[in-house]
Amino acid sequence: MNKITNHLATAELQALDAAHHMHPFTANAELAKKGARIITQADGVTLTDSEGEKILDAMAGLWCVNIGYGRDELAEVAARQMKELPYYNTFFMSSHVPAIALADKLAELAPGDLNHVFFASGGSEANDTNIRLVRRYWDLMGKPGKKTIISRKNAYHGTSIGAASLGGMQGMHAQGGMPIPDIVHIGQPYWYLEGGDMSPEDFGLMRARELEAKIDELGEDKVAAFIAEPIQGAGGVIIPPESYWPEVSRICAERDILLIVDEVITGFGRTGEWFGTEYYGLKPDIMTVAKGLSSGYAPIGGSLVSDRVAEVIGREEFTHGYTYSGHPVAAAVALENLRILEEEKIVDHVKNEAAPYLAEKWHQLADHPFVGETTIVGMMASLALTADKSVRKPFKASPGTVGFMTRERCFGNNLIMRHVADRMIVAPPLVMTRSDIDTLFERAVKSLDQAYEDVK
Ligand code: PLP
């Protein structure tokens, strides 16, 4: 029997955690001082920690628990599948029912002709697959020189070396010789901090046209694809100006490159549509999915691939795959999650109830003296913390410190919000009710008040 259980005292758990557990994306110096918060249980939109505190999770874990915590149906499906067929692979001409059923369901739900899926265990792996897919596609098309993938600064596409290279996070690139060759980055459509005197619409057009300029600079015969999140999530919930996506779509349609839309966050209802692709009217050749695909109950992701690309890739063996591609337990859990999303009309709930109410409350925060702007699409929102509401600027001294302090104030008030530099972010479970949103709002106001006093 494992001696470590939920019933150990918090301090004991924290000591063991510090001794043996290396954390992803964690301020290690702060962790060493304070110890990790230990989450022991969750239900609906609420986490419980090892001290018995009830915490409102306005981040849905890592933007993934779309249907909320504690759905027994998913646990039951997982147990059933583990008994029947806990594992088999999909290599070497094998398949199994959960992978087949999930692929079929995704083809039905996905927009356009994204009728094929290559499974992975999460978003990073799926984006690594995408690098291989687009380069292989152009090889088979007789254009092996088309290798370069254009991405954007401050994009997040995951953390494997391929996915992190696609991403445009300087802090990540600085820690490991990234980006790898043949991945380049153009500017992001972040009007608030980078738009200067331009109108949002002009700025959106300008940033979109950087794609065209980059294709011209590199040569169309060298460019394989453009990859982007419909709304940059980990970059700070950067909602592009309305002019941005139509112009990018025009450029992709006119130039001989593939469009990869990374819907790891925006997929499965977060924008109030099934996919951000539908929200913005996009026509991707490949779409990355993960997170909300299983609501985080099991690790699974994938690349949804158009008929055109799948036909070419399928001409020969594609020398790529993961031990857990289409894992039967994860696939069965994802399928059940999709059933719940569909049957309980959760995407409609977002569009017609939860998101409009969250938007109403969220925009009220713009009146707070500490808040520069509020933005929201569906159930993903952010606000800029500012020292001076009259200018669009971050805090001068060590950007991010104020965001970090505000996040800790939120946690002290039993609210999980995330910070990216000096932006505060929420992406709650899609099943939030009005009363959950009221609680979120009350705790957010209290935390902002406290943080404002802290920095005054
Ligand atoms: N793509 C986007 C847009 C993401 O937000 C993330 C994770 O946050 C990823 C890819 C990476 O997914 P994973 O952490 O499952 O590898």
PDB file of all heavy atoms in Angstrom, residues 107-127:
ATOM      1  N   ALA A 107     -15.229  13.602 -36.535  1.00  0.00           N
ATOM      2  CA  ALA A 107     -15.483  13.962 -37.943  1.00  0.00           C
ATOM      3  C   ALA A 107     -16.874  14.590 -38.072  1.00  0.00           C
ATOM      4  O   ALA A 107     -17.082  15.537 -38.840  1.00  0.00           O
ATOM      5  CB  ALA A 107     -15.355  12.731 -38.830  1.00  0.00           C
ATOM      6  N   GLU A 108     -17.826  14.084 -37.278  1.00  0.00           N
ATOM      7  CA  GLU A 108     -19.188  14.641 -37.319  1.00  0.00           C
ATOM      8  C   GLU A 108     -19.221  16.063 -36.728  1.00  0.00           C
ATOM      9  O   GLU A 108     -19.857  16.960 -37.280  1.00  0.00           O
ATOM     10  CB  GLU A 108     -20.116  13.715 -36.512  1.00  0.00           C
ATOM     11  CG  GLU A 108     -21.555  14.160 -36.448  1.00  0.00           C
ATOM     12  CD  GLU A 108     -22.285  13.495 -35.282  1.00  0.00           C
ATOM     13  OE1 GLU A 108     -22.080  12.272 -35.051  1.00  0.00           O
ATOM     14  OE2 GLU A 108     -23.042  14.202 -34.596  1.00  0.00           O
ATOM     15  N   LEU A 109     -18.511  16.268 -35.624  1.00  0.00           N
ATOM     16  CA  LEU A 109     -18.586  17.565 -34.933  1.00  0.00           C
ATOM     17  C   LEU A 109     -17.731  18.648 -35.575  1.00  0.00           C
ATOM     18  O   LEU A 109     -18.068  19.836 -35.532  1.00  0.00           O
ATOM     19  CB  LEU A 109     -18.099  17.408 -33.475  1.00  0.00           C
ATOM     20  CG  LEU A 109     -19.002  16.660 -32.511  1.00  0.00           C
ATOM     21  CD1 LEU A 109     -18.277  16.477 -31.170  1.00  0.00           C
ATOM     22  CD2 LEU A 109     -20.318  17.408 -32.293  1.00  0.00           C
ATOM     23  N   ALA A 110     -16.614  18.245 -36.165  1.00  0.00           N
ATOM     24  CA  ALA A 110     -15.655  19.243 -36.648  1.00  0.00           C
ATOM     25  C   ALA A 110     -16.217  19.994 -37.847  1.00  0.00           C
ATOM     26  O   ALA A 110     -16.927  19.417 -38.665  1.00  0.00           O
ATOM     27  CB  ALA A 110     -14.346  18.567 -37.019  1.00  0.00           C
ATOM     28  N   PRO A 111     -15.879  21.268 -37.960  1.00  0.00           N
ATOM     29  CA  PRO A 111     -16.372  22.053 -39.105  1.00  0.00           C
ATOM     30  C   PRO A 111     -15.657  21.663 -40.401  1.00  0.00           C
ATOM     31  O   PRO A 111     -14.588  21.053 -40.377  1.00  0.00           O
ATOM     32  CB  PRO A 111     -16.017  23.488 -38.717  1.00  0.00           C
ATOM     33  CG  PRO A 111     -14.902  23.369 -37.737  1.00  0.00           C
ATOM     34  CD  PRO A 111     -15.062  22.066 -37.035  1.00  0.00           C
ATOM     35  N   GLY A 112     -16.265  22.039 -41.510  1.00  0.00           N
ATOM     36  CA  GLY A 112     -15.647  21.843 -42.826  1.00  0.00           C
ATOM     37  C   GLY A 112     -15.384  20.381 -43.113  1.00  0.00           C
ATOM     38  O   GLY A 112     -16.170  19.505 -42.731  1.00  0.00           O
ATOM     39  N   ASP A 113     -14.250  20.128 -43.764  1.00  0.00           N
ATOM     40  CA  ASP A 113     -13.939  18.740 -44.137  1.00  0.00           C
ATOM     41  C   ASP A 113     -12.807  18.177 -43.286  1.00  0.00           C
ATOM     42  O   ASP A 113     -11.983  17.400 -43.770  1.00  0.00           O
ATOM     43  CB  ASP A 113     -13.618  18.654 -45.639  1.00  0.00           C
ATOM     44  CG  ASP A 113     -12.320  19.371 -45.984  1.00  0.00           C
ATOM     45  OD1 ASP A 113     -11.825  20.150 -45.144  1.00  0.00           O
ATOM     46  OD2 ASP A 113     -11.790  19.133 -47.090  1.00  0.00           O
ATOM     47  N   LEU A 114     -12.781  18.568 -42.018  1.00  0.00           N
ATOM     48  CA  LEU A 114     -11.794  17.997 -41.085  1.00  0.00           C
ATOM     49  C   LEU A 114     -12.306  16.618 -40.649  1.00  0.00           C
ATOM     50  O   LEU A 114     -12.782  16.427 -39.526  1.00  0.00           O
ATOM     51  CB  LEU A 114     -11.597  18.918 -39.881  1.00  0.00           C
ATOM     52  CG  LEU A 114     -11.054  20.318 -40.192  1.00  0.00           C
ATOM     53  CD1 LEU A 114     -11.171  21.243 -38.984  1.00  0.00           C
ATOM     54  CD2 LEU A 114      -9.601  20.236 -40.652  1.00  0.00           C
ATOM     55  N   ASN A 115     -12.212  15.666 -41.544  1.00  0.00           N
ATOM     56  CA  ASN A 115     -12.874  14.372 -41.340  1.00  0.00           C
ATOM     57  C   ASN A 115     -11.952  13.268 -40.845  1.00  0.00           C
ATOM     58  O   ASN A 115     -12.348  12.104 -40.808  1.00  0.00           O
ATOM     59  CB  ASN A 115     -13.511  13.924 -42.660  1.00  0.00           C
ATOM     60  CG  ASN A 115     -14.715  14.776 -42.995  1.00  0.00           C
ATOM     61  OD1 ASN A 115     -15.490  15.130 -42.102  1.00  0.00           O
ATOM     62  ND2 ASN A 115     -14.863  15.141 -44.260  1.00  0.00           N
ATOM     63  N   HIS A 116     -10.722  13.634 -40.461  1.00  0.00           N
ATOM     64  CA  HIS A 116      -9.738  12.613 -40.097  1.00  0.00           C
ATOM     65  C   HIS A 116      -9.011  13.077 -38.851  1.00  0.00           C
ATOM     66  O   HIS A 116      -8.802  14.274 -38.676  1.00  0.00           O
ATOM     67  CB  HIS A 116      -8.727  12.421 -41.241  1.00  0.00           C
ATOM     68  CG  HIS A 116      -9.411  12.330 -42.572  1.00  0.00           C
ATOM     69  ND1 HIS A 116      -9.732  11.143 -43.162  1.00  0.00           N
ATOM     70  CD2 HIS A 116      -9.888  13.309 -43.391  1.00  0.00           C
ATOM     71  CE1 HIS A 116     -10.373  11.383 -44.300  1.00  0.00           C
ATOM     72  NE2 HIS A 116     -10.485  12.686 -44.461  1.00  0.00           N
ATOM     73  N   VAL A 117      -8.614  12.116 -38.013  1.00  0.00           N
ATOM     74  CA  VAL A 117      -7.901  12.520 -36.793  1.00  0.00           C
ATOM     75  C   VAL A 117      -6.678  11.638 -36.568  1.00  0.00           C
ATOM     76  O   VAL A 117      -6.739  10.424 -36.753  1.00  0.00           O
ATOM     77  CB  VAL A 117      -8.836  12.516 -35.552  1.00  0.00           C
ATOM     78  CG1 VAL A 117      -9.479  11.166 -35.321  1.00  0.00           C
ATOM     79  CG2 VAL A 117      -8.098  12.972 -34.289  1.00  0.00           C
ATOM     80  N   PHE A 118      -5.588  12.286 -36.192  1.00  0.00           N
ATOM     81  CA  PHE A 118      -4.389  11.573 -35.733  1.00  0.00           C
ATOM     82  C   PHE A 118      -4.294  11.835 -34.242  1.00  0.00           C
ATOM     83  O   PHE A 118      -4.101  12.975 -33.805  1.00  0.00           O
ATOM     84  CB  PHE A 118      -3.143  12.099 -36.453  1.00  0.00           C
ATOM     85  CG  PHE A 118      -1.978  11.158 -36.331  1.00  0.00           C
ATOM     86  CD1 PHE A 118      -1.594  10.350 -37.393  1.00  0.00           C
ATOM     87  CD2 PHE A 118      -1.279  11.051 -35.134  1.00  0.00           C
ATOM     88  CE1 PHE A 118      -0.528   9.451 -37.267  1.00  0.00           C
ATOM     89  CE2 PHE A 118      -0.221  10.158 -35.002  1.00  0.00           C
ATOM     90  CZ  PHE A 118       0.159   9.362 -36.073  1.00  0.00           C
ATOM     91  N   PHE A 119      -4.418  10.782 -33.430  1.00  0.00           N
ATOM     92  CA  PHE A 119      -4.509  10.988 -31.988  1.00  0.00           C
ATOM     93  C   PHE A 119      -3.141  11.160 -31.319  1.00  0.00           C
ATOM     94  O   PHE A 119      -2.130  10.615 -31.770  1.00  0.00           O
ATOM     95  CB  PHE A 119      -5.218   9.798 -31.332  1.00  0.00           C
ATOM     96  CG  PHE A 119      -6.705   9.794 -31.562  1.00  0.00           C
ATOM     97  CD1 PHE A 119      -7.308   8.759 -32.276  1.00  0.00           C
ATOM     98  CD2 PHE A 119      -7.509  10.813 -31.066  1.00  0.00           C
ATOM     99  CE1 PHE A 119      -8.678   8.737 -32.485  1.00  0.00           C
ATOM    100  CE2 PHE A 119      -8.885  10.799 -31.271  1.00  0.00           C
ATOM    101  CZ  PHE A 119      -9.472   9.759 -31.983  1.00  0.00           C
ATOM    102  N   ALA A 120      -3.168  11.905 -30.211  1.00  0.00           N
ATOM    103  CA  ALA A 120      -1.987  12.126 -29.369  1.00  0.00           C
ATOM    104  C   ALA A 120      -2.464  12.139 -27.913  1.00  0.00           C
ATOM    105  O   ALA A 120      -3.658  11.968 -27.651  1.00  0.00           O
ATOM    106  CB  ALA A 120      -1.361  13.470 -29.744  1.00  0.00           C
ATOM    107  N   SER A 121      -1.536  12.358 -26.983  1.00  0.00           N
ATOM    108  CA  SER A 121      -1.943  12.379 -25.569  1.00  0.00           C
ATOM    109  C   SER A 121      -2.268  13.777 -25.066  1.00  0.00           C
ATOM    110  O   SER A 121      -2.701  13.945 -23.938  1.00  0.00           O
ATOM    111  CB  SER A 121      -0.835  11.801 -24.684  1.00  0.00           C
ATOM    112  OG  SER A 121      -0.514  10.517 -25.082  1.00  0.00           O
ATOM    113  N   GLY A 122      -1.997  14.788 -25.869  1.00  0.00           N
ATOM    114  CA  GLY A 122      -2.278  16.154 -25.438  1.00  0.00           C
ATOM    115  C   GLY A 122      -1.950  17.108 -26.562  1.00  0.00           C
ATOM    116  O   GLY A 122      -1.643  16.693 -27.693  1.00  0.00           O
ATOM    117  N   GLY A 123      -1.985  18.400 -26.236  1.00  0.00           N
ATOM    118  CA  GLY A 123      -1.813  19.421 -27.263  1.00  0.00           C
ATOM    119  C   GLY A 123      -0.392  19.524 -27.801  1.00  0.00           C
ATOM    120  O   GLY A 123      -0.189  19.745 -28.994  1.00  0.00           O
ATOM    121  N   SER A 124       0.614  19.371 -26.925  1.00  0.00           N
ATOM    122  CA  SER A 124       2.000  19.484 -27.393  1.00  0.00           C
ATOM    123  C   SER A 124       2.303  18.393 -28.414  1.00  0.00           C
ATOM    124  O   SER A 124       2.856  18.660 -29.484  1.00  0.00           O
ATOM    125  CB  SER A 124       2.976  19.346 -26.223  1.00  0.00           C
ATOM    126  OG  SER A 124       2.723  20.287 -25.231  1.00  0.00           O
ATOM    127  N   GLU A 125       1.942  17.174 -28.042  1.00  0.00           N
ATOM    128  CA  GLU A 125       2.189  16.056 -28.970  1.00  0.00           C
ATOM    129  C   GLU A 125       1.452  16.273 -30.283  1.00  0.00           C
ATOM    130  O   GLU A 125       1.967  15.964 -31.355  1.00  0.00           O
ATOM    131  CB  GLU A 125       1.705  14.741 -28.358  1.00  0.00           C
ATOM    132  CG  GLU A 125       2.659  14.113 -27.373  1.00  0.00           C
ATOM    133  CD  GLU A 125       2.198  12.722 -26.953  1.00  0.00           C
ATOM    134  OE1 GLU A 125       1.153  12.240 -27.448  1.00  0.00           O
ATOM    135  OE2 GLU A 125       2.880  12.117 -26.124  1.00  0.00           O
ATOM    136  N   ALA A 126       0.240  16.771 -30.201  1.00  0.00           N
ATOM    137  CA  ALA A 126      -0.544  16.976 -31.427  1.00  0.00           C
ATOM    138  C   ALA A 126       0.132  18.036 -32.299  1.00  0.00           C
ATOM    139  O   ALA A 126       0.196  17.894 -33.522  1.00  0.00           O
ATOM    140  CB  ALA A 126      -1.974  17.382 -31.082  1.00  0.00           C
ATOM    141  N   ASN A 127       0.674  19.081 -31.676  1.00  0.00           N
ATOM    142  CA  ASN A 127       1.353  20.092 -32.483  1.00  0.00           C
ATOM    143  C   ASN A 127       2.671  19.573 -33.058  1.00  0.00           C
ATOM    144  O   ASN A 127       3.066  19.966 -34.156  1.00  0.00           O
ATOM    145  CB  ASN A 127       1.545  21.378 -31.677  1.00  0.00           C
ATOM    146  CG  ASN A 127       0.272  22.222 -31.691  1.00  0.00           C
ATOM    147  OD1 ASN A 127      -0.456  22.246 -32.692  1.00  0.00           O
ATOM    148  ND2 ASN A 127      -0.009  22.899 -30.593  1.00  0.00           N
TER     149      ASN A 127
END
